[in-house]
Amino acid sequence: MRSSLPSFEPGTPGPGVFFLAADVGGTHARVGLGRTLRAAPGDCPVELLHGEVFACAQWPGLGELLAAFVARLAETPWGEAAIQACVLACAGYVQEDQVVNRNLPWPVSISALRQRLGLERLTVINDFEALAHAVPYVKPRDMRPLMTGDGSAGGLASGTIVVMGPGTGLGCAAVLPGSAGPQVLPTEAAHVSLAPGTAREIDILRLLAGDRGHVPVENALSGPGLLKLYRAISTLRGESPALDTPAAVTGAALEQRSEAAIEALSTFCALLGSFAADLAALYGAHGGILLAGGILPRIEAFLQQSDFKKRFLNKGVLAPFLERVPVHLIDHGDLGVLGAACWLERKLGRE
């Protein structure tokens, strides 16, 4: 099954390097054909020409998925484009030839992908590193404020910006201002230890930990993490968990069909506020926090009414600083593809 990316509109032929850019998650892969542009300072240096969204589970491997996208370009105005490079944004990290990510549905070998696509210039970067590269081109109209802070006209303020969000996993990257333009710092913040903020959350942490000495924050702030919260809360309530997917927990909470699901989603939002504030403090995020990921758009109204803001500000002497930090929701959508494309344009410009 495939669906189009409506924001990728065909342009007109012109100079530049044609490339593939993809944002590959545990559930969906967004793939785009793009080309580099001779852009003025501050303008986007790439143009996305055509794109599709693929359901990962319907493909035997990433190589087959990407090869199918390339083959289908023959049906578009860009069938004759000479593709010279490819960048893949994936959660996790690269170890030797392999992408290490337990949330992807198949193993990913970089050398095998290069051979399958016939592209020597094929690189894998972190998915939230890619998203962070798109931040300079996010407009205020694309953001929905949770906390306006010092942001002008409901946008971002000057300074470091943190991009984070829960989906199949938990991603995080920082955008640091610099004289040569913004610099992106990818992180593995998902593996920071989960820090409870209430007695109830301490009880939940005990259940999540079992006999382990470390519970990463991703074990609560992700789709699978939400399900773990629900199961732990059901146990604490003396109930048998009746819901077996993150989507089912979310739906039951939003429709107020399950007290355990409501508490799980409320706890999720509270922990998200605490962790976002931790990242704001850690990176000195005067510019703001951007919340992305596949879960948050669906629970936006619930999040607005939750304890997110209370927990974000509950940092003692740092509260006055955090009151000035803008926090916005953004629709992850095509921004991962755009950011990966911008990363590749920078790399090609340095070669």
Side-chain angles (χ1 to χ4, degrees), residues 270-341:
L271 289 170
L272 182 66
S274 289
F275 186 59
D278 289 341
L279 295 177
L282 179 64
Y283 293 107
H286 293 271
I289 302 286
L290 290 178
L291 299 175
I295 297 174
L296 301 184
R298 186 180 179 193
I299 68 167
E300 180 177 350
F302 191 100
L303 182 65
Q304 291 276 10
Q305 300 300 317
S306 73
D307 280 344
F308 175 94
K309 300 172 191 176
K310 176 182 175 182
R311 293 286 290 271
F312 185 85
L313 297 175
N314 187 27
K315 295 295 177 182
V317 296
L318 280 182
F321 159 67
L322 293 167
E323 287 174 349
R324 300 193 299 272
V325 175
V327 181
H328 295 273
L329 286 168
I330 56 172
D331 187 358
H332 191 150
D334 306 340
L335 289 177
V337 177
L338 175 63

Side-chain angles (χ1 to χ4, degrees), residues 47-299:
E47 180 182 17
L48 296 174
L49 306 168
H50 175 75
E52 296 182 24
V53 181
F54 295 84
C56 293
Q58 297 182 6
W59 295 88
L62 183 56
E64 289 83 355
L65 186 156
L66 294 172
F69 175 82
V70 172
R72 289 168 180 169
L73 289 176
E75 305 168 10
T76 75
W78 310 106
E80 300 300 318
I83 299 169
Q84 300 178 43
C86 176
V87 58
L88 306 175
C90 296
Y93 60 94
V94 175
Q95 184 173 359
E96 297 180 349
D97 184 55
Q98 299 292 319
V99 176
V100 179
N101 177 7
R102 57 188 172 84
N103 294 321
L104 290 178
W106 2 250
V108 175
S109 162
I110 297 173
S111 60
L113 289 176
R114 286 172 176 158
Q115 183 176 9
R116 180 67 186 259
L117 297 174
L119 292 173
E120 186 59 34
R121 287 196 290 189
L122 185 149
T123 308
V124 176
I125 64 173
N126 176 269
D127 59 340
F128 268 73
E129 178 183 6
L131 188 58
H133 276 282
V135 165
Y137 312 109
V138 175
K139 306 302 182 185
R141 65 176 178 270
D142 300 321
M143 298 182 285
R144 301 180 297 284
L146 279 174
M147 303 172 65
T148 55
D150 284 344
S152 59
L156 298 168
S158 299
T160 297
I161 298 166
V162 170
V163 187
M164 62 167 293
T168 308
L170 175 65
C172 174
V175 184
L176 313 176
S179 58
Q183 301 298 310
V184 171
L185 177 66
T187 82
E188 289 295 333
H191 300 285
V192 169
S193 295
L194 178 63
T198 66
R200 182 69 157 181
E201 289 172 8
I202 292 173
D203 292 337
I204 293 170
L205 177 61
R206 288 195 185 99
L207 291 176
L208 294 180
D211 57 359
R212 295 175 299 159
H214 170 59
V215 179
V217 67
E218 184 179 59
N219 275 25
L221 295 181
S222 63
L226 175 60
L227 186 58
K228 290 176 182 178
L229 288 176
Y230 165 73
R231 288 171 174 165
I233 287 167
S234 295
T235 298
L236 291 173
R237 296 171 66 94
E239 302 172 359
S240 296
L243 307 170
D244 57 3
T245 67
V249 175
T250 301
L254 296 180
E255 297 167 14
Q256 299 188 326
R257 291 186 282 105
S258 164
E259 291 296 327
I262 293 170
E263 184 180 352
L265 193 58
S266 297
T267 302
F268 179 94
C269 293
L271 289 170
L272 182 66
S274 289
F275 186 59
D278 289 341
L279 295 177
L282 179 64
Y283 293 107
H286 293 271
I289 302 286
L290 290 178
L291 299 175
I295 297 174
L296 301 184
R298 186 180 179 193
I299 68 167

